[in-house]
C-alpha cells in the first residue's frame, strides 16, 4: 500500500505531503490546478525520464519521495534482493528521486543509490498508472498482444520466454545460413586467401629470433677474409713457429716469467708479479690454441652464403606482408588458422547449417504451438472477464473477442492479436479501433483494468480521468467499478464526475494560488462538509443552492 507521498519544488508545487489509506482516494480541483502534476511526479518516481523543466523556478532541485507498506509480495522481495537491496515482507519501502536544475537525477531505494533502470523494474510491482495514453494504446492493435500477455501468470511467462529463446537461436542460425548462401563466392575467395597465407607461413618453418641469427651468420661469411687475416696475424703475434727465437709473444712472456722466478725469493712482490705473469702466459697459450683451431675450421662456402641470403629474403618478405616482426607473423598465422577452421569446419558447412536450421525450425514450431495454445486459453478467460465487466458498465449487450491471425514469426510468436467488439447483438464483430466511441472506450479500458487487477499484484492503481466522455448512469457504473477495484487494492483517481467523487473513501482538493508573480499548488484533505460543497459545485456550478447541497448530500449517502 502507498502510505505517504511527498513532493517538493516540483513544477508549481512548493511542498505537498499526502497520506493515503486503503480503499479509494479521489483527487479533485479546477482544471490547471495541478492534479496532473502530481501524476507526473509519481511517474518520475516510478522511473520515467526526467527534465529540468520539472524543477520549480529558482530552486536547485525537485524532490519526490514515497513510502510503501508492502506486506507479502514474494516477487518484489526476490527482485529487491537480486539487486542487492536487503528486504523482507515486514519492511517498508521508500522510493526517492531528486531532479537537479543542472540536469542530473538521483534515485534511491531505502536510501541506497540505484540506476533508473532498477527503479523502473521495482516500480512495476508497485503502481499501475492509467491515463488517456492507455486509451490511445488500446486503439492501436499493435499493443493488443502485449496487453493480452500481461494477463498471463508465471507459467505463461515461462512459456513465452522459452519460445523467445528458441526464436533467437533460429534467427541467428538462419541469418548465418543466409549470409553463407548469399556470399558463397566471397567465402570461397576468403578461404582461398587464408589457405595461401597459412601455407606460405607454415612452409617457412619460422623460429623466433631466427632472422637476427641469420643476419649475424651472413655478416660473418661476407667478411670471412678480413676475419681470417686478422685471426692469423693475432696467432702469428702470439706464436710464430717459423720466426726468429724470442720473436713471438709467448716466447717473450715465457722469458719474462723465467727472469721473475730468478728473483722471486728476494721479495714477496716479485713472487706476486711472477705468479701473475705465469697466469698470463697460460691464458695467452690457450688463446693461441683456440685461434689455431678456429683458423683450421674457417673456410668460405659460397653456397652457404647463397642459402643464408635466400632464407633472409623469405623472412623479410613475410615480415613485410604479415609483420613487422616474426612474432607478428606467427600471430597472424594463428589467427588465420582459426578463421580458416571456422570457415571450413563442419559446423559452418552449408549443408550442416541447413540441417541445423531445419532442426531449429522443428523446435520453434513446437515452442510456438505451445505458446499459441496458452495464449488462446488466456484469450478465452479474458473474453469472459471483459464481457462480465462490460455488463456491469451498462454495455451488457456488447461482446468482446480476441482475434488471432497467422502471420510471420517474430519475437512475439506467429500470430497477430487484435481486440474485436460487438456493440449490438446481430452485428458482426469489428476491430475495436474502428467501432467504439470515446465513452465506450473508457468503459472498455476500465473493464480491462478491472479484469487485470484480479490477476496482478500491484500495490496501487491510479486512474487519471478515465471517466472522460461519460455521464448519467454510465458515470455511476464507472464509479461503482472503480470502487469495486479499490476493495481488493488501493485506488487513487482523478475525476470531474460527482458520482465518482462521491463514492471515494477519501477526497483531496488541489488548488492553485498566485501572488508576487509566483504560482503555487497546494493540496488539502476535505472534511465531510467540504466534500458536500465540492460535489455541489460539480453538480450546479459555483451557485451553491440548497437544492445542489441537498443533491450532493443525497449522492454521498447513496454511495
Amino acid at each position: 500500500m502507498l502510505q505517504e507521498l511527498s513532493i517538493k519544488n516540483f513544477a508549481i508545487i512548493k511542498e505537498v505531503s499526502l497520506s493515503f489509506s486503503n480503499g479509494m482516494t479521489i483527487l479533485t480541483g479546477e482544471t490547471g490546478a495541478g492534479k496532473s502534476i502530481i501524476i507526473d511526479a509519481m511517474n518520475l518516481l516510478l522511473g520515467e525520464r526526467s527534465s529540468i523543466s520539472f524543477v520549480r523556478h529558482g530552486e536547485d532541485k525537485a524532490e519526490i519521495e514515497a513510502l510503501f507498506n508492502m506486506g507479502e509480495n514474494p516477487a518484489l522481495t526476490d527482485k529487491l534482493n537480486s539487486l542487492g537491496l536487503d528486504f523482507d515482507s515486514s519492511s517498508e519501502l521508500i522510493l526517492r528521486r531528486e531532479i537537479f536544475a543542472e540536469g542530473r537525477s538521483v534515485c534511491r531505494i531505502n536510501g541506497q543509490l540505484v540506476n533508473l533502470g532498477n527503479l523502473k523494474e521495482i516500480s512495476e510491482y508497485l503502481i499501475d498508472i492509467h491515463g488517456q495514453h492507455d486509451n490511445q494504446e488500446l486503439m492501436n492493435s499493435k499493443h493488443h498482444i502485449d496487453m493480452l500477455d500481461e494477463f498471463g501468470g508465471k507459467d505463461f511467462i515461462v512459456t513465452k520466454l522459452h519460445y523467445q529463446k528458441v526464436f533467437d537461436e533460429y534467427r541467428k542460425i538462419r541469418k548465418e545460413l543466409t549470409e553463407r548462401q548469399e556470399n558463397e563466392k566471397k567465402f570461397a575467395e576468403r578461404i582461398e586467401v587464408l589457405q595461401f597465407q597459412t601455407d606460405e607461413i607454415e612452409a617457412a618453418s619460422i623460429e623466433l629470433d631466427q632472422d637476427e641469427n641469420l643476419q649475424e651468420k651472413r655478416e660473418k661469411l661476407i667478411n670471412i677474409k678480413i676475419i681470417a687475416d686478422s685471426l692469423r696475424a693475432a696467432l702469428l703475434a702470439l706464436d710464430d713457429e717459423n720466426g726468429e727465437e724470442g720473436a713471438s709473444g709467448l716466447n717473450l712472456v715465457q722469458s719474462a716469467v723465467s727472469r721473475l722466478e730468478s728473483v722471486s725469493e728476494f721479495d714477496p712482490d716479485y713472487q706476486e708479479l711472477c705468479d701473475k705473469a705465469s697466469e698470463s702466459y697460460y691464458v695467452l697459450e690457450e688463446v693461441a690454441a683456440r685461434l689455431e683451431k678456429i683458423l683450421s675450421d674457417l673456410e668460405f662456402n659460397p653456397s652457404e652464403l647463397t642459402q643464408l641470403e635466400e632464407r633472409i629474403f623469405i623472412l623479410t618478405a613475410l615480415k613485410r606482408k604479415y609483420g613487422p616482426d616474426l612474432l607478428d607473423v606467427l600471430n597472424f598465422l594463428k589467427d588465420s588458422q582459426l578463421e580458416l577452421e571456422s570457415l571450413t569446419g563442419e559446423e559452418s558447412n552449408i549443408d550442416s547449417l541447413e540441417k541445423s536450421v531445419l532442426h531449429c525450425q522443428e523446435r520453434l514450431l513446437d515452442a510456438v504451438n505451445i505458446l499459441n495454445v496458452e495464449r488462446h486459453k488466456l484469450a478465452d478467460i479474458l473474453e469472459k472477464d471483459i464481457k462480465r465487466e462490460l455488463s456491469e458498465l451498462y454495455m451488457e449487450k456488447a461482446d468482446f473477442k480476441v482475434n488471432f491471425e497467422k502471420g510471420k514469426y517474430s519475437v512475439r510468436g506467429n500470430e497477430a492479436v487484435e481486440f474485436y467488439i460487438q456493440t449490438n447483438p446481430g452485428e458482426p464483430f469489428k476491430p475495436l479501433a474502428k467501432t467504439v466511441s470515446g465513452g465506450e472506450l473508457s468503459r472498455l479500458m476500465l473493464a480491462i483494468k478491472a479484469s487485470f487487477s484480479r490477476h496482478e499484484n500491484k500495490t496501487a492503481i491510479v486512474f487519471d480521468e478515465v471517466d472522460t466522455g461519460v455521464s448519467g448512469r454510465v458515470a455511476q457504473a464507472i464509479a461503482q467499478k472503480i470502487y469495486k477495484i479499490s476493495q481488493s487494492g488501493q485506488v487513487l483517481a482523478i475525476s470531474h464526475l460527482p458520482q465518482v467523487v462521491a463514492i471515494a473513501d477519501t477526497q483531496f482538493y488541489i488548488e492553485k494560488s498566485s501572488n508576487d508573480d509566483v504560482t503555487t499548488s497546494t493540496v488539502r484533505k476535505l472534511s465531510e462538509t467540504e466534500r458536500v460543497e465540492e460535489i455541489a459545485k460539480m453538480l450546479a456550478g459555483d451557485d451553491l443552492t440548497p437544492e445542489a447541497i441537498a443533491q450532493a448530500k443525497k449522492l454521498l449517502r447513496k454511495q
Side-chain angles (χ1 to χ4, degrees):
M1 182 184 78
L2 174 62
Q3 289 185 304
E4 301 281 343
L5 177 65
S6 172
I7 304 171
K8 294 181 181 179
N9 299 325
F10 186 83
I12 60 174
I13 294 176
K14 177 64 177 175
E15 184 171 354
V16 163
S17 183
L18 301 174
S19 296
F20 298 99
S21 56
N22 276 331
M24 180 177 171
T25 299
I26 197 79
L27 293 176
T28 62
E30 297 295 332
T31 301
K35 300 185 295 299
S36 296
I37 294 175
I38 291 178
I39 302 300
D40 289 339
M42 295 179 71
N43 273 316
L44 286 172
L45 187 64
L46 300 175
E48 292 297 322
R49 295 209 169 272
S50 63
S51 168
I52 59 173
S53 63
F54 287 121
V55 181
R56 183 176 171 85
H57 179 67
E59 302 293 342
D60 295 330
K61 64 178 179 178
E63 302 172 57
I64 313 162
E65 190 171 59
L67 169 65
F68 296 87
N69 185 349
M70 299 311 304
E72 292 294 334
N73 195 328
L76 175 61
T77 301
D78 291 344
K79 173 58 71 173
L80 287 165
N81 290 332
S82 71
L83 296 175
L85 300 165
D86 293 334
F87 184 83
D88 58 63
S89 58
S90 63
S91 301
E92 292 180 329
L93 189 67
I94 299 175
L95 269 58
R96 179 178 176 84
R97 188 164 184 192
E98 297 169 304
I99 303 161
F100 292 83
E102 69 266 24
R104 65 189 179 95
S105 171
V106 175
C107 310
R108 288 184 174 88
I109 298 177
N110 282 0
Q112 185 169 328
L113 285 170
V114 296
N115 60 41
L116 195 60
N118 293 151
L119 184 66
K120 201 160 189 174
E121 285 184 54
I122 296 303
S123 71
E124 293 178 0
Y125 297 87
L126 301 176
I127 299 179
D128 178 18
I129 298 179
H130 167 65
Q132 294 301 310
H133 174 71
D134 297 282
N135 285 352
Q136 295 171 8
E137 285 192 349
L138 187 58
M139 295 295 283
N140 189 341
S141 60
K142 292 181 180 179
H143 299 293
H144 292 178
I145 189 168
D146 294 325
M147 296 177 71
L148 174 62
D149 289 353
E150 285 180 20
F151 195 66
K154 291 182 178 179
D155 291 341
F156 177 78
I157 293 173
V158 171
T159 300
K160 185 177 179 179
L161 288 175
H162 171 69
Y163 164 78
Q164 289 175 340
K165 181 180 178 181
V166 177
F167 176 75
D168 287 340
E169 292 175 4
Y170 170 77
R171 183 165 52 182
K172 181 180 178 182
I173 297 174
R174 182 67 192 174
K175 181 181 178 182
E176 186 178 353
L177 174 62
T178 301
E179 288 177 351
R180 287 299 303 269
Q181 290 172 333
E182 292 178 350
N183 301 287
E184 191 169 1
K185 183 179 179 181
K186 291 182 180 179
F187 273 96
E189 290 174 350
R190 181 59 181 162
I191 290 171
E192 185 177 349
V193 170
L194 288 170
Q195 191 67 62
F196 172 80
Q197 290 171 334
T198 54
D199 289 346
E200 183 181 32
I201 299 173
E202 287 173 346
S205 301
I206 296 173
E207 296 177 8
L208 282 179
D209 301 327
Q210 186 182 33
D211 51 344
E212 296 178 4
N213 296 331
L214 290 173
Q215 287 290 354
E216 291 175 2
K217 289 181 180 180
R218 178 177 178 275
E219 289 298 316
K220 184 177 178 180
L221 284 175
I222 290 174
N223 295 284
I224 192 70
K225 186 177 185 308
I226 295 173
I227 294 170
D229 290 345
S230 297
L231 293 179
R232 190 174 292 107
L235 178 59
L236 290 175
L238 288 174
D239 189 12
D240 184 5
E241 296 179 354
N242 300 318
E244 297 178 359
E245 185 178 351
S248 70
L250 284 175
N251 288 338
L252 292 173
V253 174
Q254 188 176 32
S255 176
V257 170
S258 297
R259 295 290 184 176
L260 289 170
E261 279 181 347
S262 65
V263 296
S264 60
E265 60 182 292
F266 298 110
D267 192 304
D269 288 342
Y270 303 160
Q271 182 62 52
E272 183 182 356
L273 291 171
C274 179
D275 293 341
K276 288 185 176 181
S278 296
E279 290 176 6
S280 298
Y281 175 79
Y282 293 124
V283 170
L284 291 172
E285 188 178 43
E286 182 181 352
V287 170
R290 288 186 63 187
L291 285 171
E292 188 174 3
K293 176 69 170 62
I294 290 172
L295 284 167
S296 66
D297 294 337
L298 195 64
E299 65 173 316
F300 176 67
N301 187 342
S303 63
E304 183 181 359
L305 178 60
T306 301
Q307 291 174 357
L308 281 173
E309 289 183 332
E310 289 176 352
R311 180 66 175 165
I312 290 171
F313 176 80
I314 291 172
L315 296 181
T316 301
L318 291 176
K319 288 191 292 183
R320 188 168 56 250
K321 292 170 68 174
Y322 312 114
D325 53 42
L326 289 182
L327 179 60
D328 294 315
V329 176
L330 291 173
N331 287 335
F332 184 89
L333 173 63
K334 182 179 179 181
D335 293 340
S336 298
Q337 287 171 331
L338 290 173
E339 185 180 355
L340 187 61
E341 183 180 350
S342 68
L343 294 176
T344 58
E346 182 178 350
E347 67 278 3
S348 295
N349 183 275
I350 288 183
D351 292 338
S352 178
L353 283 172
E354 288 175 343
K355 291 178 181 177
S356 297
V357 168
L358 289 174
H359 176 66
C360 202
Q361 274 182 340
E362 294 175 358
R363 293 175 55 222
L364 184 66
L365 182 60
D366 291 339
V368 81
N369 285 340
I370 295 173
L371 176 65
N372 290 342
V373 168
E374 294 302 312
R375 196 171 264 154
H376 282 254
K377 289 180 181 177
L378 287 182
D380 290 340
I381 299 172
L382 182 62
E383 288 171 352
K384 292 182 176 66
D385 270 20
I386 298 299
K387 187 174 181 179
R388 181 171 58 252
E389 297 291 343
L390 288 174
S391 177
E392 295 177 2
L393 291 168
Y394 291 103
M395 292 182 69
E396 61 276 357
K397 295 182 179 181
D399 201 355
F400 178 82
K401 177 182 177 183
V402 180
N403 187 64
F404 292 90
E405 287 189 11
K406 292 292 183 182
K408 295 181 179 179
Y409 280 86
S410 72
V411 71
R412 291 183 173 91
N414 69 340
E415 288 186 326
V417 171
E418 185 171 5
F419 295 159
Y420 276 57
I421 194 166
Q422 180 191 59
T423 53
N424 296 298
E427 294 181 356
F429 278 93
K430 295 179 181 179
L432 181 66
K434 300 178 181 179
T435 306
V436 296
S437 63
E440 290 172 331
L441 184 63
S442 295
R443 281 182 280 174
L444 180 58
M445 177 53 84
L446 187 57
I448 292 174
K449 287 293 179 181
S451 183
F452 277 38
S453 68
R454 293 192 295 272
H455 296 267
E456 296 176 337
N457 193 19
K458 300 283 187 181
T459 299
I461 298 177
V462 177
F463 291 110
D464 185 9
E465 299 189 21
V466 295
D467 46 28
T468 300
V470 299
S471 59
R473 65 172 190 165
V474 174
Q476 184 64 39
I478 286 180
Q480 294 287 348
K481 182 61 62 182
I482 295 175
Y483 187 76
K484 183 179 179 182
I485 296 173
S486 73
Q487 299 310 292
S488 57
Q490 190 180 39
V491 168
L492 173 63
I494 293 176
S495 177
H496 293 285
L497 288 179
Q499 294 93 331
V500 176
V501 174
I503 204 170
D505 299 302
T506 306
Q507 182 177 352
F508 287 99
Y509 185 75
I510 305 172
E511 55 189 341
K512 183 171 63 175
S513 61
S514 299
N515 55 28
D516 298 330
D517 298 324
V518 176
T519 302
T520 303
S521 282
T522 57
V523 182
R524 58 189 174 88
K525 184 178 179 180
L526 297 185
S527 66
E528 194 68 21
T529 300
E530 289 173 323
R531 291 192 69 185
V532 171
E533 291 181 359
E534 179 64 19
I535 294 170
K537 289 180 182 179
M538 290 181 177
L539 292 168
D542 291 335
D543 186 13
L544 293 180
T545 62
E547 291 79 11
I549 294 292
Q551 190 176 355
K553 289 180 178 179
K554 182 179 179 182
L555 192 59
L556 278 168
R557 285 196 301 271
K558 183 179 179 181
Q559 307 304 331

